[in-house]
Amino acid sequence: MMNKIVTIKDVAKKANVGVGTVSRVLNHHPSVKEKTRLKVMEAIQALEYNPNAIARSLKAKETRSVGVMIPDISSAFFPEVVRGIEDVASAYKYHIILCNIDLDREKEKVSLQMLKEKKVDGIIFISNTVDEGLRSGFKKIEIPIVLVSTRDPANEFKSVIIDNAMAAYEAVDYLCKLGHREIAMIAGQKDDPNAGIPRVEGYKRALRENHIQVKEEWIYHGDYRYKSGYDIMQEILKKEKLPTAVFAASDTMAVGAASAVLHRGYHIPGHISIVGFDGIEVSEYFYPSITTIRQPRYDMGACGMRLLMKMLKGENVEENEVILKHELIKRNSCRAVRGD
Amino acid sequence: MMNKIVTIKDVAKKANVGVGTVSRVLNHHPSVKEKTRLKVMEAIQALEYNPNAIARSLKAKETRSVGVMIPDISSAFFPEVVRGIEDVASAYKYHIILCNIDLDREKEKVSLQMLKEKKVDGIIFISNTVDEGLRSGFKKIEIPIVLVSTRDPANEFKSVIIDNAMAAYEAVDYLCKLGHREIAMIAGQKDDPNAGIPRVEGYKRALRENHIQVKEEWIYHGDYRYKSGYDIMQEILKKEKLPTAVFAASDTMAVGAASAVLHRGYHIPGHISIVGFDGIEVSEYFYPSITTIRQPRYDMGACGMRLLMKMLKGENVEENEVILKHELIKRNSCRAVRGD
DNA sequence: CTGTTAGCGCCTTCAC
DNA sequence: GTGAAGGCGCTAACAG
């Protein structure tokens, strides 16, 4: 049920003016005599009138709402991104409609259809890869769309992202400069064009540039979650030759790996150094705190939303891909090793 | 900008029927001949028509949307609650409008006004205390409202919550039964009727029932955040006489406290045992994993939303306060101490 | 400056 | 069974 119905008409009657005048007052139209404006305002107060955004939307053909499609709000990486989006949105008097997609193409479709019917003005799509089906779905809906923390291989949509390869490079280079030469990697999925492949690339390049041979068998693939980090680390710890450092493609895996190390009775960073990726809170709260690459999650959301707002206002947006700066945060999970 | 405009009228024309008939088909009205139904469906397909939820809402006086007012989506406790809400909402074809309130009464007002104008059908209000201003705001808006993880002292609104006093009691009783007699508490704010006061009460009752004297100076007050846990623990560690166990009113503070203990060179649980509260992920991922009280966050959200749905459908809801079950999760941060 | 009117897209009587 | 018409609350164009 919607609210009690005090309409613009009631206000008009009460103030002895036409509905047009009330509308003008509401929209701060300049051409209203101060005196009548006051009369109208009074009536509005008296009747406790508030405008009906639905009716307004119907007329204006804009809803001041944007859809936010996200894998899972309860996954540690995203809440901060959403917060960034929401802050910018509410500054512009927009609201967001959250859709949890769970990396499920079917849910994606359903949500997209829903957003279409709810007539959102734009969409922010987070983290999942953009495949052919999605791309055509996006094109059909004919509203501005911004990708955050993912990119469109075909480059048809604007995106906000960090330079994953570069970030991974810096993380691993840091370990190399610390003297580590035996560095394993707990990577993401092999076929993830987003957080998977580029981070492995960065890892390899850092090794090469530091004249360390890349050993493919030291690259393990997890799913960014705690358990996979833990399990893979257990695996690593069984080997004859242990690495002196491990680079994980997510903080959650890094923490899983760290727990496995500690559980086994080794010391961090005494025996093994660890670097994570993302900069979520757990990397800071873990003991020892984990060195990591910080992704500017809040800014990614905020920047994506600002971009979308520009597009909604019809402003020209030149850049097709916004690369935000990441940051290597040095904490207590890494030590320098002596060369011998 | 809203979508391209293919309206019910276009469909009607294309199918050679009246708009009424199209509407009936859309709403699965029984009294439509199969043959015309097919004709209409065809036209819908051909034109790629999709209904305009805005227009529908205007007519129907319901938007199928609910407002969710939350302190801060980027705070660890809430995302899972929101996920629960969203899952139930989308099952009913509702969507949610997220508002971050930051425990700021002014933002609260602004958001409430916004939700009013957007004509949400109901509101879920999370975690903040319900004061007089808010209560009157809620009453004016005249739509169903459900409180989650908080309650209304005046009992005018339905709520979904756990038994905080009981949960705290169980946590501390567990420590007592393990043989601890020197148990400090890192509590929440003194005046928080929600997660503050009841948890202290539970702590005290557990001590009393285990014939342990309550020492007020062993009750410290933090703000549920990491730093306050860390700082307070440092304070505690400076004392002559150390407690053998610490009960924190949030996992985040528990982890902060644990870090301080480890940083100081003590062992957990060897020297000091720790119990947290909430059951957020960090309590599980920390090393050693932290014993805690799990709040069923997802269910709290889902249950709150189901309650709201019932109210929206006009069903009678007898219970005024739903108490969900918490759970003591025993992990590796507590040890038994020998009586002497 | 301000009142009146015609829709925005949809649903719902009310006749036929 | 189905078409036509009225109206949900609002804005914008057109007169005055």
Side-chain angles (χ1 to χ4, degrees):
Chain A
M1 273 157 300
M2 257 157 70
N3 230 348
K4 270 290 140 42
I5 17 64
V6 179
T7 78
I8 203 173
K9 229 183 204 163
D10 302 319
V11 177
K13 207 183 303 171
K14 173 118 188 167
N16 270 319
V17 299
V19 288
T21 304
V22 178
S23 173
R24 263 160 274 188
V25 173
L26 253 26
N27 296 293
H28 308 102
H29 199 84
S31 67
V32 180
K33 230 197 318 184
E34 182 63 9
K35 205 164 162 193
T36 53
R37 205 183 66 79
L38 286 176
K39 252 198 322 189
V40 171
M41 291 301 280
E42 233 167 75
I44 287 177
Q45 296 280 313
L47 268 43
E48 297 197 318
Y49 166 82
N50 44 28
N52 183 327
I54 298 295
R56 200 174 257 176
S57 293
L58 182 59
K59 182 82 199 161
K61 294 181 175 319
E62 80 167 34
T63 55
R64 289 181 168 272
S65 67
V66 315
V68 176
M69 300 172 76
I70 203 178
D72 178 6
I73 187 65
S74 66
S75 181
F77 185 81
F78 303 111
E80 186 111 4
V81 180
V82 171
R83 180 68 209 243
I85 295 173
E86 216 268 323
D87 280 358
V88 173
S90 73
Y92 285 94
K93 308 257 184 201
Y94 274 63
H95 74 262
I96 65 178
I97 297 183
L98 246 199
C99 305
N100 295 104
I101 303 300
D102 292 320
L103 303 182
D104 174 338
R105 295 291 178 199
E106 191 50 35
K107 284 194 189 179
E108 212 167 76
K109 258 195 197 162
V110 173
S111 292
L112 202 56
Q113 178 61 26
M114 187 270 263
L115 293 176
K116 217 170 179 169
E117 297 188 1
K118 303 268 187 182
K119 302 298 175 194
V120 292
D121 297 341
I123 289 179
I124 292 193
F125 181 83
I126 306 181
S127 249
N128 198 2
T129 55
V130 178
D131 72 352
E132 206 36 70
L134 187 62
R135 188 175 303 120
S136 79
F138 279 168
K139 275 153 102 174
K140 256 193 215 135
I141 195 172
E142 287 176 313
I143 54 175
I145 289 177
V146 170
L147 272 25
V148 168
S149 189
T150 181
R151 44 191 308 283
D152 173 22
N155 236 305
E156 301 192 47
F157 303 106
K158 316 266 176 201
S159 57
V160 177
I161 196 168
I162 66 160
D163 185 338
N164 280 287
M166 188 62 192
Y169 169 85
E170 284 172 28
V172 176
D173 185 60
Y174 168 69
L175 287 171
C176 295
K177 294 293 188 285
L178 242 33
H180 292 276
R181 301 190 59 81
E182 313 290 336
I183 305 172
M185 172 161 189
I186 304 180
Q189 286 93 345
K190 268 200 188 79
D191 59 347
D192 173 1
N194 208 358
I197 297 167
R199 294 181 193 171
V200 171
E201 262 173 28
Y203 161 82
K204 288 183 178 173
R205 180 161 77 87
L207 292 189
R208 279 198 305 270
E209 292 193 5
N210 283 279
H211 312 294
I212 299 171
Q213 204 201 330
V214 173
K215 292 184 241 170
E216 290 290 343
E217 69 272 24
W218 268 22
I219 303 177
Y220 296 78
H221 292 275
D223 62 3
Y224 305 110
R225 285 194 276 241
Y226 179 89
K227 188 164 187 317
S228 73
Y230 191 95
D231 291 347
I232 288 172
M233 194 68 208
Q234 277 198 320
E235 208 58 40
I236 294 176
L237 291 173
K238 279 184 199 148
K239 304 280 178 188
E240 290 259 302
K241 171 104 178 164
L242 295 190
T244 61
V246 173
F247 169 50
S250 81
D251 282 341
T252 315
M253 287 198 295
V255 164
S259 294
V261 170
L262 295 174
H263 188 77
R264 178 63 175 266
Y266 288 117
H267 186 260
I268 297 173
H271 296 290
I272 292 187
S273 294
I274 290 192
V275 177
F277 202 108
D278 282 347
I280 60 177
E281 290 185 335
V282 71
S283 69
E284 183 183 349
Y285 295 167
F286 196 81
Y287 191 90
S289 58
I290 307 284
T291 293
T292 190
I293 295 286
R294 191 181 83 88
Q295 293 202 61
R297 289 172 290 150
Y298 182 93
D299 289 339
M300 289 166 83
C303 176
M305 186 64 197
R306 261 185 244 111
L307 232 164
L308 188 60
M309 288 305 315
K310 273 195 192 173
M311 294 165 75
L312 287 175
K313 296 205 183 311
E315 294 176 32
N316 190 33
V317 180
E318 59 292 349
E319 67 272 75
N320 218 8
E321 193 170 76
V322 179
I323 311 279
L324 257 34
K325 276 207 281 286
H326 56 266
E327 180 190 2
L328 174 66
I329 303 184
K330 296 173 190 172
R331 292 204 273 239
N332 303 315
S333 63
C334 299
R335 68 154 188 156
V337 301
R338 183 169 319 195
D340 37 47
Chain B
M1 274 157 297
M2 258 157 69
N3 230 346
K4 271 289 141 39
I5 18 64
V6 179
T7 78
I8 203 173
K9 227 184 206 163
D10 302 318
V11 176
K13 207 182 302 170
K14 172 117 188 168
N16 270 318
V17 299
V19 289
T21 304
V22 178
S23 174
R24 263 158 264 181
V25 172
L26 251 28
N27 296 293
H28 308 101
H29 199 83
S31 71
V32 179
K33 232 196 318 183
E34 181 63 11
K35 204 164 161 192
T36 53
R37 206 183 66 78
L38 286 177
K39 248 197 326 187
V40 171
M41 291 302 279
E42 232 166 74
I44 289 178
Q45 296 280 313
L47 268 44
E48 296 195 323
Y49 165 82
N50 43 29
N52 182 328
I54 299 295
R56 199 174 259 177
S57 292
L58 183 59
K59 185 84 196 134
K61 293 184 176 316
E62 78 167 36
T63 56
R64 290 181 165 271
S65 67
V66 316
V68 175
M69 300 172 75
I70 203 178
D72 178 8
I73 187 66
S74 66
S75 181
F77 186 81
F78 303 110
E80 186 111 5
V81 180
V82 170
R83 180 69 209 242
I85 293 172
E86 216 266 324
D87 280 358
V88 173
S90 73
Y92 285 94
K93 308 256 184 200
Y94 274 64
H95 74 262
I96 66 178
I97 296 183
L98 245 199
C99 305
N100 294 104
I101 304 300
D102 291 319
L103 304 181
D104 174 338
R105 295 291 178 199
E106 191 49 35
K107 284 194 189 178
E108 211 169 76
K109 258 196 196 158
V110 174
S111 291
L112 202 56
Q113 177 61 26
M114 187 270 263
L115 293 176
K116 218 168 176 170
E117 297 188 3
K118 302 268 188 183
K119 302 298 176 195
V120 293
D121 297 340
I123 289 180
I124 293 193
F125 181 82
I126 306 181
S127 248
N128 198 3
T129 56
V130 178
D131 72 351
E132 205 39 68
L134 187 63
R135 189 176 302 119
S136 80
F138 278 168
K139 275 153 101 173
K140 255 192 216 137
I141 193 172
E142 287 176 312
I143 55 175
I145 290 176
V146 169
L147 273 25
V148 168
S149 190
T150 181
R151 43 192 310 284
D152 173 22
N155 235 304
E156 301 191 48
F157 303 106
K158 315 266 175 201
S159 58
V160 176
I161 197 169
I162 66 159
D163 185 338
N164 280 286
M166 187 61 192
Y169 169 85
E170 284 172 30
V172 177
D173 186 60
Y174 168 69
L175 287 171
C176 295
K177 294 294 188 283
L178 241 32
H180 293 276
R181 301 190 59 81
E182 314 290 335
I183 305 171
M185 172 161 187
I186 304 180
Q189 285 95 344
K190 268 202 188 77
D191 59 347
D192 173 2
N194 207 358
I197 298 167
R199 293 182 193 171
V200 171
E201 262 173 29
Y203 161 81
K204 288 182 177 173
R205 180 161 75 87
L207 292 188
R208 279 198 305 272
E209 292 194 5
N210 283 279
H211 311 294
I212 300 171
Q213 204 201 327
V214 173
K215 293 185 241 172
E216 291 289 343
E217 69 271 23
W218 270 22
I219 303 177
Y220 296 78
H221 292 275
D223 62 3
Y224 304 111
R225 285 195 276 239
Y226 179 88
K227 187 164 188 318
S228 74
Y230 191 95
D231 291 347
I232 289 172
M233 194 68 210
Q234 278 198 318
E235 208 58 41
I236 293 175
L237 290 174
K238 280 185 198 148
K239 304 279 176 187
E240 291 259 302
K241 171 102 180 166
L242 294 190
T244 61
V246 174
F247 169 50
S250 81
D251 282 339
T252 314
M253 288 198 295
V255 164
S259 294
V261 170
L262 295 175
H263 188 76
R264 179 63 176 268
Y266 288 116
H267 187 259
I268 297 174
H271 297 288
I272 292 187
S273 293
I274 291 193
V275 176
F277 202 109
D278 282 347
I280 60 176
E281 288 185 336
V282 70
S283 68
E284 182 182 348
Y285 294 168
F286 197 81
Y287 191 88
S289 58
I290 308 284
T291 293
T292 191
I293 294 287
R294 191 181 83 88
Q295 293 202 62
R297 291 173 288 150
Y298 182 92
D299 289 340
M300 289 167 84
C303 178
M305 186 64 198
R306 259 185 245 110
L307 232 164
L308 187 61
M309 289 306 316
K310 272 195 193 174
M311 294 165 77
L312 287 175
K313 295 203 183 313
E315 293 176 32
N316 190 35
V317 181
E318 60 291 349
E319 65 273 75
N320 218 7
E321 194 171 74
V322 179
I323 311 278
L324 257 34
K325 275 206 280 289
H326 56 265
E327 180 190 2
L328 173 66
I329 303 184
K330 297 173 189 172
R331 293 204 270 238
N332 303 315
S333 63
C334 299
R335 68 153 188 156
V337 301
R338 184 168 319 197
D340 38 46

